[in-house]
């Protein structure tokens, strides 16, 4: 039987890479991946795993139309943190190309509108833009499913590495307070998306939250303490203090955590659905165990021989 083809955008990155690998592993669809650079190591690796690699750019709609030729499905992810406000136009290009190509199942990695959740009080462009794009795809009546991916566990390796508090104890801090923070290993998202592609009748028109755990930051810190053998704690930093910090995106992230703290009490239903689609979803504890060495590489070494508890 001839397999149908799914175009995976962002396949050299975290989400798209996970989707491409999961689709290749289940072998129900041909995988075509979009990249701006077909000769990168990641593109070559996926090619060796069986993906067809095509060059294209979300800034260039014709390249997207070419990439979608004869495709059944498309997985779409847009990257705010590289393109900022231009994410919106790139998403429009993607969605217009999906519509013009007659794609039968579009899975777009969207997020809730934090502007709406906070009744206009806080702007969180990396979420609000995706919510607007979700709305745009719905307005074009594209057969779509929207996945809302939780905070990556991998952020502890990249954006939010544990910090030393000066007493050889480790902490992480932001304005999340005691409210549960849904989180996930981005590596587990792919099998959820593959499951969605396998069940179009059930999932077209729906929104699916992808999460692997839903705990308070204090609970995540306790897991890190236990697994790393060093005291790790969560420090609540209030929204205004965090927004004034000197790093790019500080205000945006301050608003994101503040809206979550105030308006998203839990995402338990997302966990239930994610686990139904991918029974191998990792809890945070499982992920920390599997990634202990990588975490240890990014945490500051203790100042003294003995950890201060
Ligand atoms: P990533 O690992 O940084 O990868 C970005 C991917 O986008 C790469 O594969 C890159 O492909 C592709 N790309 C970038 N610009 C492109 C362009 N102009 N044309 C075509 N492809 C382009 O990103 P990710 O983590 O998978 O996804 C980022 C998104 O996830 C962000 O928008 C963020 O808001 C969202 N998100 C993040 C979290 C989190 O906790 N971090 C949670 C939920 C959602 P090439 O370089 O090969 O072209």
């Amino acid at each position: 039987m001839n397999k149908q083809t799914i175009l995976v955008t962002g396949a050299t990155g975290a989400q798209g890479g996970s989707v491409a690998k999961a689709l290749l592993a289940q072998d129900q669809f041909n995988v075509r991946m979009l990249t701006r650079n077909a000769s990168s190591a990641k593109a070559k690796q996926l090619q060796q795993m069986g993906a067809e690699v095509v060059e294209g750019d979300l800034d260039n709609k014709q390249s997207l139309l070419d990439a979608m030729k004869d495709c059944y499905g498309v997985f779409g992810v847009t990257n705010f943190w590289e393109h900022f406000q231009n994410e919106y136009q790139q998403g429009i290009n993607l969605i217009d190309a999906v519509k013009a190509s007659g794609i039968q199942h579009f899975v777009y990695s969207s997020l809730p509108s934090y502007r709406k959740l906070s009744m206009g009080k806080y702007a969180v462009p990396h979420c609000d833009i995706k919510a607007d794009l979700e709305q745009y795809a719905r307005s074009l009546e594209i057969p779509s499913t929207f996945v809302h991916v939780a905070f990556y566990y991998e952020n502890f390796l990249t954006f939010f590495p544990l910090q030393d508090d000066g007493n050889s104890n480790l902490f992480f801090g932001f304005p999340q307070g005691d409210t549960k923070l849904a989180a996930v290993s981005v590596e587990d998202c792919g099998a959820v998306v593959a499951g969605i592609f396998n069940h179009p009748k059930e999932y077209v028109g729906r929104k699916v939250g992808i999460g692997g755990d839903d705990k308070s930051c204090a609970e995540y810190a306790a897991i890190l303490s236990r697994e790393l053998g060093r005291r790790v704690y969560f420090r609540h930093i209030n929204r205004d203090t965090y927004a004034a910090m000197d790093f790019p995106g500080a205000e945006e992230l301050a608003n994101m955590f503040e809206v979550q703290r105030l308006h998203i009490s839990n995402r338990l239903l997302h966990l239930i659905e994610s686990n139904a689609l991918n029974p191998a979803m990792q809890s945070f504890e499982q992920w920390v165990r599997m990634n202990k060495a990588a975490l240890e590489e990014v945490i500051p070494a203790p100042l003294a021989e003995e950890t201060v508890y």
Side-chain angles (χ1 to χ4, degrees):
M1 198 182 79
N2 275 347
K3 285 187 282 180
Q4 291 177 304
T5 299
I6 292 178
L7 178 74
V8 179
T9 68
T12 58
Q15 286 190 39
S18 161
V19 171
K21 283 176 192 152
L23 289 171
L24 287 166
Q26 70 164 25
D27 205 23
Q28 302 285 316
F29 295 97
N30 294 320
V31 175
R32 185 181 292 168
M33 54 162 282
L34 184 88
T35 175
R36 290 165 294 177
N37 176 11
S39 51
S40 73
K42 284 187 179 165
K44 290 234 163 92
Q45 186 202 12
L46 284 160
Q47 192 170 33
Q48 276 165 7
M49 291 169 75
E52 178 193 353
V53 180
V54 294
E55 279 195 350
D57 194 316
L58 291 168
D59 284 322
N60 177 346
K61 192 173 148 198
Q62 186 57 49
S63 74
L64 303 177
L65 292 167
D66 294 343
M68 288 177 202
K69 196 164 181 304
D70 300 326
C71 280
Y72 158 82
V74 170
F75 172 74
V77 58
T78 47
N79 188 6
F80 177 84
W81 298 106
E82 181 177 347
H83 303 288
F84 302 97
Q85 296 294 334
N86 193 37
E87 179 186 28
Y88 182 73
Q89 188 54 50
Q90 292 183 342
I92 296 288
N93 294 345
L94 174 71
I95 292 164
D96 284 346
V98 164
K99 177 72 180 175
S101 304
I103 295 301
Q104 292 174 60
H105 196 176
F106 175 47
V107 179
Y108 176 60
S109 182
S110 175
L111 285 169
S113 168
Y114 279 48
R115 190 181 54 228
K116 281 192 190 149
L117 281 168
S118 64
M119 285 160 286
K121 186 165 180 197
Y122 295 113
V124 184
H126 78 276
C127 302
D128 300 336
I129 287 172
K130 291 181 183 70
D132 289 345
L133 290 168
E134 175 174 328
Q135 206 45 49
Y136 182 64
R138 285 186 190 278
S139 75
L140 297 184
E141 297 184 348
I142 292 169
S144 315
T145 308
F146 303 97
V147 291
H148 289 186
V149 177
F151 184 87
Y152 304 167
Y153 301 153
E154 286 80 359
N155 289 334
F156 285 107
L157 300 172
T158 53
F159 294 119
F160 300 100
L162 299 175
Q163 296 170 61
D164 197 304
D165 70 354
N167 289 314
S168 282
N169 297 318
L170 299 167
F171 75 98
F172 61 99
F174 36 67
Q176 183 71 24
D178 297 330
T179 306
K180 286 181 177 174
L181 172 72
V184 69
S185 169
V186 68
E187 289 179 358
D188 296 339
C189 296
V192 176
V193 172
I196 289 170
F197 275 122
N198 290 339
H199 297 94
K201 281 202 194 88
E202 289 76 13
Y203 283 104
V204 162
R206 287 208 42 215
K207 201 179 281 192
V208 176
I210 304 186
D213 220 330
D214 195 27
K215 292 188 163 58
S216 69
C217 289
E219 289 173 293
Y220 290 129
I223 290 168
L224 286 162
S225 286
R226 218 165 39 238
E227 298 301 326
L228 297 176
R230 288 182 62 186
R231 182 171 180 240
V232 181
Y233 62 93
F234 170 66
R235 182 183 284 175
H236 174 74
I237 301 172
N238 74 44
R239 186 252 162 227
D240 292 348
T241 306
Y242 198 86
M245 285 180 169
D246 185 21
F247 68 88
E251 183 168 12
E252 158 127 18
L253 291 172
N255 288 350
M256 179 187 85
F257 289 115
E258 183 73 349
V259 175
Q260 290 175 175
R261 186 178 73 80
L262 296 172
H263 301 288
I264 306 178
S265 62
N266 72 81
R267 285 179 169 155
L268 189 57
L269 289 177
H270 296 185
L271 261 61
I272 293 169
E273 184 147 36
S274 299
N275 275 287
L277 284 159
N278 175 13
M281 294 299 290
Q282 297 167 82
S283 65
F284 185 64
E285 185 166 29
Q286 288 170 316
W287 181 84
V288 172
R289 275 191 198 142
M290 290 295 292
N291 290 276
K292 193 172 166 187
L295 282 161
E296 278 168 345
E297 260 179 49
V298 298
I299 61 180
L303 294 175
E305 286 277 316
E306 281 193 22
T307 308
V308 180
Y309 279 90

